[in-house]
Amino acid sequence: MPKTLEEYTKDELIEIIKNLKRRKKFGLVWEDKPEEIVRQVEAELPVIEEVPERAIEKLKDAPTNFVIEGDNYHSLSVLNYTHTGKVDVIYADPPYNTGSNTWVYNNRIVDSNDTYRHSKWLTFMRERLTLAKQLLKETGIITVTIDDYELFTLGMLMDEIFGEENKVGVLAVENNPRGRTANRFYATSHEYYVVYAKNAKLATISNLPLTEEQKKVFKYEDEISPYRMRGMRKSGADSRRKDRPKQFYPIYINPETLQGSLEKHDGWDEILPIDNTGSERVWIIGTERCKEFLEDGTIIINKAKSGSGYSLFVKDRIKAGRKARTVWVDPRYDTSSHGATLLLKMFGEKVFDYPKSLWAVRDFLYTAAGENKEALILDFFAGSGTTGHAVLELNKEDGGKRQFILCTNNENGIAENVTYPRVKNVIDGYSKYEGIKSNLRYFKTALVSKQQTDDQTRIELVARSTDMICLREDTFEMVIDTKLFKVFGNTDHYAAIVFEPDAIVLLKDALAKLDDDKPIHIYVFSLSNDTYESDFTDIEREHELRPIPESILEVYRRIHKAQGEELGL
């Protein structure tokens, strides 16, 4: 049996410490500086409260988007209750920790003189990324944008949280073609998108649409589609016979008709994939596809220009898109022209430093959300609201019903004066911009302080949980409004909140008067974990019962357990 700590001698303990110091660790080790906003949640529980006057409703029966104002740690805590496992894509643009007084930690600006600058940033990011991970679907994708200051530490942190096996890629995006000439050695002209999957085995990345320049390459056309001519003989990597032996085979050609076949015929010429140097190469396709392509005319056979031999080509047909590269260079990604200048047109003045290019964000979301036109996209460092704008643009292009959730604090009035007005302008239209009709609701985070007893705290939490439940259920139309219970609805279902178990009978009577049979999710207040299932056995409407606040508290307990803290309730 191993010794307890008290049983070791002083010399033995010293030797153990020496051995620990000699150990090497691959990974992140940093001074974990406690964050006050995280400690605060031990005594105060996050909720959200809607600001009704900021709601925008333009399209009936269309998805609703959300802006949540408040510290994103609180917002992510609430979303862990409302949206666990529901988010398709997360786009996060955190402070880059350049030391230029751009972010605050524990109510103090973090600058280049702060000895714990990197430790604070890592702690700050770890807490939020850990919460964010829980929100992703198993097929979900997350990217965190960053520059050279924290690229390597971020990569190791992402490995630690999401797993190295789930790294999808690191993109270099040219966001400043002119380069930062103030840099001493190189004029930095790019930033990075560090991309991970919740589960790389299940995730997919979509191709980017072809640009007009890329389309011009497909200059031939037949009755099927435009195409370009691609040589049948493979070159470059893995093109040797020993690399792909099954793709080394003869093709027989009729010298008169230029007909091709995989079967040998008298008088037909045998062609092998041998290059001009005599090296044995391979064809770009195997025998089955080659036979198919020879029969349907996809393979084109010409006499060689030299007069002897043949040239074989495949009709490489135009595609809907092309696999995105890891280096993104496009004038549309310039943050000056398509970020700052765009905001200037919207607001008539400078309102935000270093906004992202709308089109860089748009293109990333297109690759990450793929063909899912109903994807839910989260940005918990929303800043000027570029992600929301990009989602609306995507919906405008293809008629999609993608939704966004934007989380931002209100430092210097950013949420009220930039994020929300920008999204409102995009929806309503501005200047000569027509607008993109959509729906939006605006929330602020708040805190429920612990009361003298646990039961009093539970009662207070339920009293202030209505908007959280509406967000979770996506039900914002008030159907029945009483002091004892409330019923909200959407086109698919109802959500009811029962504040006192004695009101269950009244709720059932009210539900019986509704002139439809839509299912209902019923949240019943309970000091324990009782759903009062026996009280609902006589209702015919399809229903689910969920106890509150226990279901909320269970989420917050999980969050605290992950942090090694205790939540008393």
Side-chain angles (χ1 to χ4, degrees):
M1 181 178 292
K3 295 181 180 179
T4 63
L5 194 60
E6 290 76 13
E7 293 173 325
Y8 283 99
T9 65
K10 180 180 178 180
D11 290 339
E12 287 175 329
L13 289 172
I14 290 173
E15 189 59 32
I16 290 173
I17 293 171
K18 286 180 179 178
N19 287 332
L20 289 172
K21 286 185 174 181
R22 284 194 292 265
R23 283 186 184 178
K24 295 181 179 179
K25 174 180 173 65
F26 182 78
L28 278 174
V29 179
W30 75 90
E31 185 72 20
D32 195 351
K33 307 296 289 184
E35 188 179 0
E36 291 176 7
I37 203 77
V38 176
R39 292 285 185 89
Q40 184 181 23
V41 179
E42 296 174 37
E44 298 177 283
L45 305 177
V47 293
I48 55 169
E49 297 172 348
E50 186 175 7
V51 183
E53 61 269 23
R54 292 185 185 156
I56 302 173
E57 295 182 277
K58 296 286 185 179
L59 290 174
K60 189 175 182 181
D61 300 336
T64 299
N65 304 293
F66 308 102
V67 173
I68 303 177
E69 174 194 323
D71 188 280
N72 58 10
Y73 184 81
H74 292 156
S75 300
L76 289 168
S77 297
V78 170
L79 291 172
N80 261 255
Y81 171 67
T82 63
H83 283 79
T84 293
K86 295 181 180 180
V87 175
D88 294 283
V89 181
I90 296 176
Y91 181 97
D93 179 28
Y96 283 8
N97 200 22
T98 62
S100 56
N101 300 342
T102 55
W103 69 292
V104 175
Y105 189 88
N106 287 348
N107 301 316
R108 295 183 63 182
I109 291 175
V110 179
D111 59 29
S112 57
N113 297 317
D114 192 324
T115 308
Y116 291 97
R117 175 159 61 97
H118 296 288
S119 290
K120 289 177 179 178
W121 189 87
L122 280 166
T123 301
F124 172 83
M125 290 299 296
R126 180 193 60 192
E127 303 296 358
R128 285 150 182 81
L129 289 171
T130 300
L131 292 180
K133 179 183 178 181
Q134 302 303 318
L135 303 179
L136 282 173
K137 292 180 179 177
E138 285 301 304
T139 54
I141 296 286
I142 179 173
T143 188
V144 182
T145 66
I146 203 67
D147 68 5
D148 298 278
Y149 285 92
E150 294 289 0
L151 173 64
F152 304 116
T153 48
L154 173 65
M156 297 187 77
L157 182 63
M158 296 290 280
D159 279 352
E160 190 173 284
I161 294 173
F162 290 91
E164 184 180 1
E165 69 279 8
N166 291 314
K167 181 166 69 175
V168 172
V170 179
L171 312 180
V173 181
E174 186 184 51
N175 63 332
N176 181 4
R178 296 158 298 282
R180 293 202 299 260
T181 55
N183 289 12
R184 181 182 174 191
F185 297 108
Y186 297 100
T188 303
S189 60
H190 69 283
E191 62 183 0
Y192 302 96
Y193 286 28
V194 180
V195 189
Y196 280 69
K198 179 74 172 288
N199 184 339
K201 293 180 180 178
L202 303 177
T204 57
I205 293 292
S206 293
N207 295 339
L208 282 172
L210 297 181
T211 65
E212 291 305 315
E213 287 299 314
Q214 290 169 338
K215 290 178 183 177
K216 289 179 182 177
V217 175
F218 298 86
K219 56 186 179 181
Y220 305 100
E221 188 168 3
D222 59 14
E223 67 280 3
I224 299 176
S225 71
Y227 65 89
R228 63 181 176 180
M229 304 278 272
R230 184 182 178 191
M232 260 288 285
R233 189 176 64 234
K234 188 175 176 60
S235 60
D238 297 328
S239 65
R240 297 170 299 177
R241 181 179 183 177
K242 67 178 183 180
D243 298 323
R244 296 172 181 263
K246 291 184 178 180
Q247 287 174 221
F248 183 88
Y249 53 86
I251 296 176
Y252 300 95
I253 298 175
N254 185 322
E256 300 298 328
T257 65
L258 299 184
Q259 179 185 351
S261 173
L262 294 185
E263 296 180 9
K264 189 173 183 179
H265 296 275
D266 291 338
W268 288 33
D269 296 328
E270 180 185 77
I271 304 299
L272 290 166
I274 297 175
D275 66 19
N276 295 333
T277 67
S279 299
E280 292 183 333
R281 300 292 179 178
V282 296
W283 301 120
I284 61 173
I285 52 177
T287 54
E288 288 188 12
R289 292 187 70 195
C290 183
K291 184 175 185 296
E292 176 188 335
F293 285 0
L294 286 168
E295 291 174 354
D296 66 15
T298 299
I299 292 177
I300 298 173
I301 302 172
N302 296 323
K303 288 278 189 181
K305 291 181 180 180
S306 62
S308 63
Y310 302 90
S311 297
L312 279 70
F313 299 92
V314 174
K315 291 181 180 179
D316 184 19
R317 299 194 178 279
I318 193 168
K319 303 171 182 64
R322 177 175 290 180
K323 181 178 283 189
R325 308 297 197 262
T326 55
V327 177
W328 288 24
V329 179
D330 192 306
R332 301 184 314 144
Y333 301 156
D334 184 351
T335 56
S336 176
S337 302
H338 299 284
T341 301
L342 178 60
L343 284 186
L344 192 61
K345 289 179 181 178
M346 289 180 118
F347 290 89
E349 60 180 334
K350 182 179 179 180
V351 294
F352 190 80
D353 293 327
Y354 311 117
K356 288 285 188 266
S357 160
L358 171 65
W359 305 112
V361 178
R362 179 260 180 226
D363 284 357
F364 173 78
L365 296 181
Y366 187 91
T367 64
E371 301 301 317
N372 183 4
K373 294 183 180 181
E374 297 183 355
L376 176 60
I377 295 160
L378 167 67
D379 183 344
F380 58 91
F381 287 102
S384 70
T386 306
T387 299
H389 191 164
V391 171
L392 293 174
E393 285 288 346
L394 281 172
N395 287 341
K396 179 182 178 181
E397 291 169 19
D398 61 16
K401 294 184 178 181
R402 302 170 187 84
Q403 290 176 274
F404 63 77
I405 302 175
L406 304 182
C407 305
T408 180
N409 60 31
N410 199 34
E411 288 179 11
N412 302 315
I414 183 175
E416 297 178 317
N417 300 328
V418 182
T419 316
Y420 173 74
R422 177 179 187 173
V423 175
K424 188 175 188 301
N425 280 340
V426 175
I427 293 174
D428 290 342
Y430 64 93
S431 184
K432 296 181 181 180
Y433 186 85
E434 184 178 343
I436 305 171
K437 303 308 179 191
S438 191
N439 303 322
L440 180 76
R441 289 187 177 269
Y442 191 102
F443 299 89
K444 290 185 178 183
T445 59
L447 295 168
V448 174
S449 299
K450 289 187 179 179
Q451 307 297 308
Q452 290 184 348
T453 67
D454 289 349
D455 286 352
Q456 288 175 325
T457 303
R458 284 181 163 85
I459 292 170
E460 178 68 13
L461 181 58
V462 169
R464 298 178 64 185
S465 65
T466 298
D467 289 334
M468 284 177 66
I469 292 171
C470 287
L471 179 62
R472 175 188 174 113
E473 294 288 340
D474 198 17
T475 51
F476 295 99
E477 179 187 352
M478 179 69 77
V479 179
I480 303 173
D481 186 11
T482 73
K483 289 185 177 180
L484 298 177
F485 66 89
K486 299 182 187 297
V487 178
F488 301 86
N490 61 25
T491 57
D492 299 320
H493 71 282
Y494 295 111
I497 305 174
V498 182
F499 298 104
E500 293 185 17
D502 292 343
I504 290 176
V505 175
L506 298 176
L507 171 66
K508 292 194 293 184
D509 289 342
L511 293 178
K513 296 176 183 178
L514 295 176
D515 58 359
D516 59 45
D517 59 354
K518 288 191 296 189
I520 186 167
H521 301 159
I522 304 172
Y523 293 77
V524 185
F525 169 72
S526 171
L527 289 175
S528 60
N529 202 20
D530 191 353
T531 59
Y532 296 91
E533 187 173 348
S534 61
D535 291 271
F536 289 93
T537 55
D538 57 339
I539 69 169
E540 297 181 0
R541 185 184 301 268
E542 181 184 340
H543 62 280
E544 292 181 22
L545 300 174
R546 298 167 182 175
I548 51 172
E550 188 58 32
S551 56
I552 302 173
L553 290 171
E554 186 57 38
V555 170
Y556 290 159
R557 289 191 193 103
R558 172 172 56 77
I559 291 172
H560 281 269
K561 184 177 180 180
Q563 296 162 351
E565 305 287 351
E566 292 295 331
L567 181 63
L569 288 168

